[in-house]
Amino acid sequence: MSDNLLRTPLYDLHVAMGGKMVPFAGYEMPVQYPLGVKKEHLHTREQSGLFDVSHMGQVKLVGANAAKALEKLVPVDIMDLPVGKQKYAFFTNEQGGIMDDLMVANYGDYLYVVVNAACKEQDIAHMRANLGEGVTVEVLEDRALIAIQGPKTAIALGRIQPALNDMVFMDTQLIDIDGAQCYVSRSGYTGEDGYEISMPASDTERLVKLFLEQPEIEAIGLGARDSLRLESGLCLYGHDIDTTTTPLEASLIWAISKNRRADGERAGGFPGADIILAQITNKDWTRKRVGLLGEGRAPIREGAELFNDAGEKIGTVTSGSYGPTIGKPVAMGYVETSYSSLETKIFAEVRGKKLPMIVSRAPFIEQRYFRG
């Protein structure tokens, strides 16, 4: 392992638990534990899984105009985000491409933002350069971030801090957990009910051991995190979305707030707005992100080319795996819009063979967020 790789506050615990450590976004991270990827995946779907996501960037935006300033960088309604709520957003560039996706929470006196690990230096520089005077970008270096996901998570965590059960999907609050001040949101990246918890680095190992003492909770690695998010139809930045994909091409029109669209009260005003809003108005994008279900057993991996029944290339797979929950190969990719209708049959080329796939709804599983 390279000496240049960073380590999260849970590194020693990962090793002690038999985690197989791999390089990921500049960190040494556990790809799996002795349980194995498939069992870790199914355990999360059935009970509760704990993920170390401390490699991600945590930032506070402080200042009376923080929400207004952030709106200039994202096509999302931040100014009306209620205190105690969180929202999905993405930075766009002048070409309408997606620079990164992020989560934004309103804590009243400040916004709390979580950005992707691979993009965090770029994102922090982008915010510092563009939010303007009067908004302080405070990087939270001394905190860890974990996600605990699965249908039995609320039961398990409720034993430790009963107030967590009062939260619903996308609620966020600063809450004491066993003596540590934690930023908590009821959200996640698996399609299951669960929480994301930011905690002081000095409390992390103690708290995680306490969580893992709960019979429902197992430690889960990056391998299962990827297959869980893929089954839930959630994008991975740098794979399913990037600076060359617009939100419309990426099937993320739902995340563009109505009051930021052409007929909205705060229309446009974000990078690439002319391109993105024209795509919404004219419905003129030429490719679309779709879900794909394999008809056989062989997983279809990222990079596989997609063809129509005449043998013409029509797209590319951007994420692909075997879906342990549904027992079929699952993938996402971009196809020409004329092939994006549900139930369209196309073919993925794997080792010279054309394997049939069906354009399907993503998520491939029923999302089970707790909405009260």
Side-chain angles (χ1 to χ4, degrees):
M1 205 74 74
S2 166
D3 291 339
N4 296 328
L5 291 172
L6 301 170
R7 292 176 174 177
T8 77
L10 288 172
Y11 174 83
D12 290 340
L13 187 59
H14 294 315
V15 172
M17 292 189 297
K20 181 182 177 184
M21 308 303 286
V22 298
F24 184 80
Y27 284 76
E28 289 186 67
M29 299 294 290
V31 68
Q32 67 179 79
Y33 297 92
L35 196 59
V37 173
K38 182 179 180 181
K39 287 182 179 177
E40 290 174 28
H41 177 114
L42 294 173
H43 185 89
T44 305
R45 287 268 182 257
E46 293 160 6
Q47 297 199 55
S48 181
L50 184 148
F51 306 78
D52 182 7
V53 288
S54 304
H55 56 310
M56 299 182 78
Q58 302 180 63
V59 179
K60 279 170 70 171
L61 304 181
V62 185
N65 292 323
K68 185 177 182 181
L70 187 59
E71 275 203 8
K72 294 177 181 176
L73 303 182
V74 300
V76 177
D77 179 2
I78 305 296
M79 290 175 67
D80 298 327
L81 180 62
V83 175
K85 284 290 183 181
Q86 177 176 260
K87 184 172 276 191
Y88 175 78
F90 36 79
F91 294 126
T92 52
N93 63 20
E94 294 298 341
Q95 294 73 44
I98 300 171
M99 293 173 59
D100 193 16
D101 58 349
L102 55 145
M103 300 301 291
V104 183
N106 184 358
Y107 275 86
D109 295 335
Y110 54 90
L111 299 177
Y112 168 76
V113 177
V114 177
V115 297
N116 284 304
C119 303
K120 66 183 175 184
E121 300 306 327
Q122 157 206 298
D123 290 348
I124 290 162
H126 182 58
M127 287 188 282
R128 283 186 167 143
N130 293 291
L131 290 178
E133 290 184 19
V135 180
T136 303
V137 179
E138 182 183 330
V139 183
L140 303 178
E141 302 277 14
D142 59 344
R143 297 188 77 84
L145 186 66
I146 63 162
I148 311 180
Q149 303 282 295
K152 296 189 177 177
T153 300
I155 294 169
L157 293 185
R159 293 187 200 110
I160 299 167
Q161 173 46 283
L164 294 173
N165 282 320
D166 298 332
M167 301 173 72
V168 297
F169 183 57
M170 289 298 198
D171 275 0
T172 183
Q173 64 175 310
L174 192 59
I175 192 166
D176 182 286
I177 301 178
D178 198 49
Q181 284 288 100
C182 300
Y183 299 106
V184 181
S185 66
R186 195 160 188 170
S187 63
Y189 193 48
T190 61
E192 300 292 337
D193 180 27
Y195 301 82
E196 295 192 336
I197 306 172
S198 165
M199 59 192 68
S202 57
D203 293 299
T204 302
E205 186 168 321
R206 174 179 65 81
L207 282 180
V208 167
K209 284 179 176 176
L210 177 62
F211 298 146
L212 291 172
E213 285 172 8
Q214 310 311 307
E216 300 86 355
I217 301 178
E218 287 280 352
I220 310 294
L222 291 173
R225 184 170 184 256
D226 193 54
S227 56
L228 287 158
R229 70 91 193 166
L230 179 53
E231 281 189 340
S232 196
L234 299 169
C235 293
L236 176 62
Y237 190 81
H239 299 257
D240 309 301
I241 49 176
D242 59 27
T243 54
T244 71
T245 54
T246 71
L248 288 304
E249 293 169 336
S251 299
L252 294 173
I253 189 170
W254 59 268
I256 300 176
S257 300
K258 288 182 179 175
N259 65 2
R260 307 301 305 282
R261 300 186 191 186
D263 55 353
E265 64 194 47
R266 295 198 299 281
F270 53 88
D274 52 340
I275 294 168
I276 292 169
L277 297 183
Q279 284 190 343
I280 295 176
T281 301
N282 303 325
K283 298 181 171 57
D284 65 349
W285 56 97
T286 58
R287 61 179 184 146
K288 188 179 181 189
R289 178 177 66 91
V290 296
L292 297 164
L293 269 181
E295 295 198 323
R297 299 284 294 175
I300 314 297
R301 303 293 185 190
E302 177 183 353
E305 295 186 334
L306 298 169
F307 297 85
N308 62 15
D309 55 8
E312 300 163 326
K313 185 184 173 187
I314 57 164
T316 307
V317 170
T318 52
S319 285
S321 182
Y322 188 77
T325 312
I326 60 173
K328 290 183 178 181
V330 292
M332 290 193 290
Y334 285 82
V335 297
E336 295 174 14
T337 48
S338 55
Y339 295 91
S340 64
S341 299
L342 294 178
E343 305 303 321
T344 302
K345 188 170 184 175
I346 61 176
F347 300 86
E349 186 168 73
V350 179
R351 292 188 290 277
K353 291 183 179 178
K354 300 281 202 315
L355 303 181
M357 302 198 85
I358 302 295
V359 175
S360 305
R361 292 190 188 279
F364 304 98
I365 51 110
E366 180 186 356
Q367 293 175 324
R368 298 191 285 189
Y369 306 125
F370 180 74
R371 300 180 188 273

